[in-house]
Amino acid sequence: MNKKVILLIEDNQDDEMLTLRAMKKNNILNEVIVLRDGEEALDYIFAKGKYEGRDATEVPQVILLDLNLPKVSGLEILRRIREDERTCLFPVVVLTSSNSEKDMVESYKLGANSYIRKPVDFDQFVDSVKQLGLYWLVLNEIPADTK
Amino acid sequence: MTDSKNERVKSVIRYILFFIGGGVFLCCFGFIRDWGMGYHPGITGYIIPMLVGGVTGIIIGRLFFKSRKQFMQSGVEEGERKQVEEALRESEKKFRNIIESSPMGMHMYQLEADGRLVFTGANPSADALLGVENSQFIGKTIEEAFPPLKDTEVPERYRLAAGKGIPWETEQIAYEDDKIAGAFEVHAFQTSPGRMVTTFLEITERKRAEEEIKKLNEELEQRVKERTAQLEAANKELKTFNYSVSHDLRAPLRAIDGFSRVLLEDYTDKLDEEGKDYLERVCKGAERMSILIDDMLKLSRVTTYEMDKKKVDMSKLVGRIAEELQALEEDRKIEFIIPGNIQIQADEHLLTIVLQNLLGNAVKFTSQKETARIEFGVRDTGGIREFFIKDNGAGFKMEYEDKLFVPFQRLHSMQEFSGSGIGLSIVERIILRHNGKIRAESEENKGATFYFSFH
């Protein structure tokens, strides 16, 4: 079975490292593509810039999206994903430090599938990743490539 | 009626008297003449003189009487006329005095048949108030006397007053360099058809005071606007600050905690017990800081939250929270006393936070008692509606009362009772936002009672 890709859009290298470690601990073996700023993320998703030539209709298993990104914000990326026909069905989980109600509402309004706050406690974080993995990678179903 | 009858009786008696008088006179006259001449005609000879004398008597008597009456009448009339004249003069003097001594300036006008409105007089106050000798205008039309008024509505209004009896009042204000030089309250009204009076009262001081008040009010409005803008700006800054705090301070904490754990996990064999202990403390420190950040945020959110006051059934709210708390402490016996139907005007969300904190504390601090007893109620203290939440728990020493509501100040160790010490600060801030008061009474080991009120 084709193991789908996980997109991790995260600028904080500490968080990146911890997230990857948490995934490994939970036996999540999908390929994780890390995109470190908003611009890079858009380039990848829409197959532009240095990612030109990529198949943009390839559906990732899940996109883990942080909101506070340099250059283009997480919410803006979310909007663009939802606006484009090729990408509007991609599952997007907002994974962020912010516990602002406004951010959560905005995210859902723009079409996020889920909103998760990163806990400070690492054990809890690992547990969150495990649950994310169980749900989005095992339980949740996504459409086949949107050709 | 009786009077004229009286009159008639009187005149009849008069005529009889004249008749008798005249008759007797002529008879006597005849008698004496005859006797003088030795003539004795007898009684019948005197009948004709009697009649003639009588009639003459009546005629003469009547003439005499009438002229005397007229004389008396004219005397009376003269007297009456004099009286009336006197009364009129008195009255005129009285009213003239009023006009002459009135502090209100008065101008009198008369509307001529050809439509000209002619100035007929003024009182001394008019001279004083306007600084002119108004007598020079008598006989002139209003336009001639006061040219500046020509193009205003004044002459027309005066004409309407004089001619149609339509009164008019207005304020005339003269400015000099942006300040009030003089102000008059003017009334124009008809005194008799075709005649009118305008009165003008000096109100300069009053007008100046009014302007002053208006200016002060505007300044005040301005200051309030500025102050509100400042407060709004401060609030906005606070909200932004909150946002960064919640977001930016957490990330490094996660790294601190996370990598400490990683160390503990991956380098277990390379660390001795002490090493492991230190790393544990690092982790706990990060966690603690996270809780503190959360609490600070809660406290400042209470300040920036936009209140929406409405009627809330406090009894029901307390009941619901009590149920939730009891559900979390399944193995404990907690007795709640909640009288029903206590209503209050407050923001429901903030009120819930207050009650959750106070009731939560009550539950927490009674955890070491066999049976916890928590009572909610309301009482009247000197006209103020005071709510209270009373528990039979650990209580505290009253000498530490002033530390109760300070953020992060605790009166017990973490081992005795958990908690960060922010709950009561949040409660106090919410109560203050409702313009209320909160206080506590307690004795160590004898429970505590928190009294609070809203306005």
Side-chain angles (χ1 to χ4, degrees), chain B residues 317-318 320-329 332 334 336 351-368 372-376 389-394 410 417-419 423-424 427 448 450 452:
Chain B
L317 190 53
V318 170
R320 211 174 53 225
I321 296 172
E323 259 177 47
E324 286 168 10
L325 288 171
Q326 173 76 86
L328 292 171
E329 313 276 336
R332 275 180 60 191
I334 310 176
F336 283 101
L351 182 58
T352 308
I353 294 177
V354 165
L355 293 170
Q356 277 172 342
N357 265 292
L358 291 176
L359 290 166
N361 276 354
V363 166
K364 181 163 71 183
F365 288 98
T366 51
S367 59
Q368 290 167 2
R373 193 166 177 278
I374 300 172
E375 187 184 344
F376 165 70
I389 289 181
K390 186 181 160 125
D391 68 69
N392 63 343
R410 305 192 71 239
F417 299 105
S418 66
L424 286 179
V427 166
F450 282 82
F452 54 101

Side-chain angles (χ1 to χ4, degrees), chain B residues 300-446:
Chain B
S300 86
R301 278 215 195 101
V302 157
T303 310
T304 58
Y305 177 77
E306 269 172 49
M307 295 212 292
D308 175 25
K309 282 195 197 175
K310 54 180 206 263
K311 204 157 88 141
V312 179
D313 186 328
M314 233 169 138
S315 303
K316 281 208 187 114
L317 190 53
V318 170
R320 211 174 53 225
I321 296 172
E323 259 177 47
E324 286 168 10
L325 288 171
Q326 173 76 86
L328 292 171
E329 313 276 336
E330 280 174 357
D331 44 344
R332 275 180 60 191
K333 238 171 47 177
I334 310 176
E335 188 192 335
F336 283 101
I337 297 160
I338 308 168
N341 209 15
I342 296 179
Q343 314 275 352
I344 197 210
Q345 192 83 7
D347 179 286
E348 192 167 357
H349 171 70
L350 292 180
L351 182 58
T352 308
I353 294 177
V354 165
L355 293 170
Q356 277 172 342
N357 265 292
L358 291 176
L359 290 166
N361 276 354
V363 166
K364 181 163 71 183
F365 288 98
T366 51
S367 59
Q368 290 167 2
K369 290 274 158 105
E370 257 280 339
T371 313
R373 193 166 177 278
I374 300 172
E375 187 184 344
F376 165 70
V378 63
R379 64 179 204 181
D380 195 305
T381 313
I384 300 176
R385 236 177 135 209
E386 243 187 358
F387 301 95
F388 62 86
I389 289 181
K390 186 181 160 125
D391 68 69
N392 63 343
F396 56 87
K397 284 199 189 130
M398 279 306 274
E399 62 186 276
Y400 300 128
E401 191 193 355
D402 48 340
K403 291 209 169 134
L404 273 181
F405 300 104
V406 175
F408 305 124
Q409 279 280 2
R410 305 192 71 239
L411 297 180
H412 303 270
S413 70
M414 273 302 225
Q415 280 78 30
E416 289 176 287
F417 299 105
S418 66
S420 65
I422 199 73
L424 286 179
S425 312
I426 292 178
V427 166
E428 190 194 37
R429 194 164 290 188
I430 295 177
I431 304 272
L432 285 177
R433 279 200 78 188
H434 281 84
N435 289 321
K437 287 200 173 81
I438 181 166
R439 64 189 176 92
E441 275 173 20
S442 175
E443 223 188 294
E444 221 173 13
N445 288 317
K446 296 221 179 109

Side-chain angles (χ1 to χ4, degrees), chain B residues 125-148:
Chain B
S125 287
D127 286 358
L129 284 175
L130 297 181
V132 286
E133 272 233 27
N134 285 287
S135 50
Q136 62 181 298
F137 301 128
I138 296 181
K140 298 207 170 122
T141 66
I142 183 174
E143 292 88 355
E144 287 163 3
F146 308 109

Side-chain angles (χ1 to χ4, degrees), chain B residues 185-365:
Chain B
E185 193 179 283
V186 177
H187 291 260
F189 50 90
Q190 188 191 62
T191 48
S192 64
R195 288 177 196 263
M196 66 154 290
V197 165
T198 51
T199 62
F200 33 97
L201 182 66
E202 165 128 45
I203 53 170
T204 312
E205 278 315 309
R206 187 180 87 191
K207 269 294 163 194
R208 286 211 184 110
E210 276 177 26
E211 280 231 340
E212 189 67 33
I213 291 177
K214 202 167 87 165
K215 206 168 70 160
L216 284 174
N217 265 350
E218 278 169 12
E219 274 176 25
L220 193 63
E221 285 271 346
Q222 187 59 24
R223 252 186 273 154
V224 166
K225 248 204 283 198
E226 278 168 21
R227 193 60 59 80
T228 309
Q230 279 174 5
L231 283 173
E232 277 174 3
N235 232 23
K236 196 160 154 221
E237 257 181 61
L238 195 59
K239 283 200 177 136
T240 318
F241 178 72
N242 288 352
Y243 182 79
S244 352
V245 162
S246 81
H247 195 96
D248 302 329
L249 287 183
R250 282 225 179 75
L253 279 182
R254 212 176 8 261
I256 294 173
D257 186 275
F259 289 109
S260 304
R261 297 279 157 129
V262 168
L263 268 177
L264 276 171
E265 280 171 18
D266 291 1
Y267 293 81
T268 305
D269 39 337
K270 296 217 174 73
L271 282 168
D272 64 349
E273 280 312 305
E274 238 177 82
K276 289 191 186 130
D277 180 49
Y278 293 155
L279 281 174
E280 284 285 350
R281 285 174 195 263
V282 169
C283 290
K284 284 226 179 71
E287 264 169 56
R288 174 126 184 91
M289 185 156 165
S290 170
I291 295 175
L292 285 174
I293 293 175
D294 280 347
D295 283 348
M296 262 167 47
L297 275 177
K298 277 191 214 145
L299 185 56
S300 86
R301 278 215 195 101
V302 157
T303 310
T304 58
Y305 177 77
E306 269 172 49
M307 295 212 292
D308 175 25
K309 282 195 197 175
K310 54 180 206 263
K311 204 157 88 141
V312 179
D313 186 328
M314 233 169 138
S315 303
K316 281 208 187 114
L317 190 53
V318 170
R320 211 174 53 225
I321 296 172
E323 259 177 47
E324 286 168 10
L325 288 171
Q326 173 76 86
L328 292 171
E329 313 276 336
E330 280 174 357
D331 44 344
R332 275 180 60 191
K333 238 171 47 177
I334 310 176
E335 188 192 335
F336 283 101
I337 297 160
I338 308 168
N341 209 15
I342 296 179
Q343 314 275 352
I344 197 210
Q345 192 83 7
D347 179 286
E348 192 167 357
H349 171 70
L350 292 180
L351 182 58
T352 308
I353 294 177
V354 165
L355 293 170
Q356 277 172 342
N357 265 292
L358 291 176
L359 290 166
N361 276 354
V363 166
K364 181 163 71 183
F365 288 98

